[in-house]
Amino acid sequence: MSKCFYITTAIDYVNGQPHLGHAYEKVLADVVARSRRALGEGVFFLTGLDEHGQKVQQAAQVAGKSAQLYCDELAGIWQVFVTKLGLTNDDFVRTTSARHKEVVQAILTKLHREGHFYQASTEGFYSTKEETFVTAKERLPDGSFPASYGEVVQLAETNWYFKLGTHQQWLIDHIESNPAFIQPDYRRNEVLGFLKNNTLEDLCISRPAARLTWGIPVPFDPAYVTYVWFDALVNYISVPAALGDPTVLGALQLAIGNRQSAIAAWPADAHVIGKDIIKFHAVYWPIMLKAMGLPLPKQLLVHGWWQKDGAKMSKTTGNVVDPVAIIDDWGLDAFRYYVVRELDIGPDGNWTDAGFAARYQAELANGLGNLVNRSLSMLKRYRNGVVPARHDALSAEASQFAHAAIIALRESRLQDALVETWKLVTRANQYVDQTAPFKLAKDPAQAARLDEVLYNLVESCRILAVLLHPFIPGTSAKIFAQLNLAGAPDKLALAAWGGLQQHHAIGEPAALFPRRDQPKA
């Protein structure tokens, strides 16, 4: 059984509606998953929902619903959202599912038996919003806590704790000796700075059932439920376990899953996460895995946040971007293209409606769309849609751009891959202007030259369909359909020059991205 490329998003907390940040993360992961499949790899792509915890319990109470019903209703909304984004996820995890709970409880039982947990009483400050204890070090000069923590209350209670301190040095060593583990580099440096300048405090992994019932019961102490983050992180291995992953099942000594159709997924090749949860994934999660006897994920791809018009998005002020509304208005591929092209993995980004419209017009409508439409239309008009003999005027440049784009995709440099691909769009449009095929068509003596030009243009369009498939798959498929090519442009090996055969008859050209004057109000 060969290991597949395993990629995950963070699982989303079901105490609200999906927003731009959720959409961005999911699209990033989908582009990586599609590109890996296009490279010929087997892929397992997981996304899903985090459904336990105090915030969910409280929101359900406010809504007058049971916590499970509340989660079920929101889960339906989120699953529609996943479909809306065109994701190719192979599974959708819900932490309220029986398959997930079984693995969480097996891990708790194993770690408790092996002495990783202890019980202790503590008195301190607790953030309900973040569902975590906060320390005096995090207080502001006026004695208050940052607004990001919401209401902070004093709390005294006994809980179960996971010993973290003994793991601190090996984790530092692992991060330093594996530079690709946390990307981009400045996120890795942040984690190393935290680990080298702080003593790692033990992690509280339980909550008393007396104040929180909506959680996975701690199997060795029914007076407690599992801390939501310990529960949530396990999703990355609970689904592979349920699907018979031998590495996970072997380490946990579990006999679950369908061994006949098992997958080999763990360790994850990439966890795509936001910068706000890096500590959980770069510190707690590796230590949890080490204690379980499981290998660590190969990479954390840490992305930034979106602002709107230079300000933090807020429902109160109304400066939000509704990805579903954008998709309904402009189309899915326009949305997918913009978020990946505009914001590289790592820094924060700034959404502006004018910027979105500008990229749509310049790069999609006037760039790609115009190139494909006029190239195919000229072939129809001048050669009845029949491909002439191969010619290689643009072969070297197209191959150079495709090679650079494919290398970028292998390294999950998605923005770079688009930039390289768009070099071919730009070059092919320049080629039209330089060769003026509409003038050549008027001179019968230039017939052979016109054949050469037309081949280079339509072959460039075919290669673009292949390179763009991970990003804008709907448009990619339309280009292939207009070229009347069988199959899908979903293998990057098809980006080699010369795929269009002489005498092949293309289909009917149609606008890929209709021009628009301005965003709708």
Side-chain angles (χ1 to χ4, degrees), residues 290 392 498:
K290 173 83 167 174
D392 297 344

Side-chain angles (χ1 to χ4, degrees), residues 203-423:
L203 179 66
C204 180
I205 57 96
S206 70
R207 297 292 184 265
R211 74 172 171 88
L212 175 63
T213 57
W214 189 237
I216 296 176
V218 173
F220 51 84
D221 193 338
Y224 294 90
V225 298
T226 309
Y227 171 45
V228 66
W229 264 107
F230 193 99
D231 160 6
L233 289 164
V234 170
N235 92 89
Y236 301 132
I237 56 174
S238 66
V239 171
L243 297 175
D245 184 286
T247 300
V248 178
L249 295 179
L252 300 182
Q253 298 178 320
L254 285 171
I256 60 174
N258 186 345
R259 298 293 184 128
Q260 305 307 118
S261 58
I263 64 165
W266 195 260
D269 293 88
H271 290 317
V272 182
I273 61 166
K275 66 178 185 178
D276 54 321
I277 54 174
I278 190 170
K279 181 170 72 171
F280 297 96
H281 287 80
V283 179
Y284 300 153
W285 182 225
I287 292 174
M288 288 167 62
L289 290 166
K290 173 83 167 174
M292 292 177 217
L294 279 167
L296 272 53
K298 295 179 183 177
Q299 188 170 66
L300 305 178
L301 285 173
V302 187
H303 64 79
W305 291 347
W306 283 91
Q307 294 183 322
K308 172 80 189 301
D309 301 324
K312 183 180 178 181
M313 290 194 201
S314 165
K315 291 181 182 177
T316 307
T317 58
N319 70 327
V320 295
V321 176
D322 179 357
V324 173
I326 296 292
I327 290 167
D328 287 343
D329 189 7
W330 293 83
L332 172 58
D333 279 359
F335 175 82
R336 285 174 62 109
Y337 174 79
Y338 179 77
V339 295
V340 180
R341 178 62 184 84
E342 181 71 16
L343 182 55
D344 198 9
I345 298 174
D348 290 341
N350 184 41
W351 178 292
T352 67
D353 293 338
F356 179 93
R359 282 205 187 276
Y360 179 94
Q361 292 292 98
E363 296 163 29
L364 295 177
N366 297 338
L368 175 66
N370 185 46
L371 171 67
V372 173
N373 192 258
R374 63 179 175 168
S375 298
L376 273 58
S377 295
M378 286 189 291
L379 186 64
K380 276 283 189 183
R381 187 180 310 124
Y382 304 140
R383 294 293 182 266
N384 295 315
V386 177
V387 176
R390 171 173 170 166
H391 189 265
D392 297 344
L394 295 180
S395 173
E397 289 169 286
S399 299
Q400 175 190 337
F401 301 145
H403 179 68
I406 291 169
I407 288 175
L409 286 173
R410 286 188 186 278
E411 297 173 356
S412 298
R413 293 183 289 110
L414 308 186
Q415 188 187 62
D416 287 349
L418 271 182
V419 169
E420 292 297 330
T421 300
W422 237 257
K423 289 179 182 178

Side-chain angles (χ1 to χ4, degrees), residues 480-491:
F480 245 47
Q482 291 180 29
L483 287 169
N484 193 30
L485 292 169
D490 59 356
K491 294 290 181 285

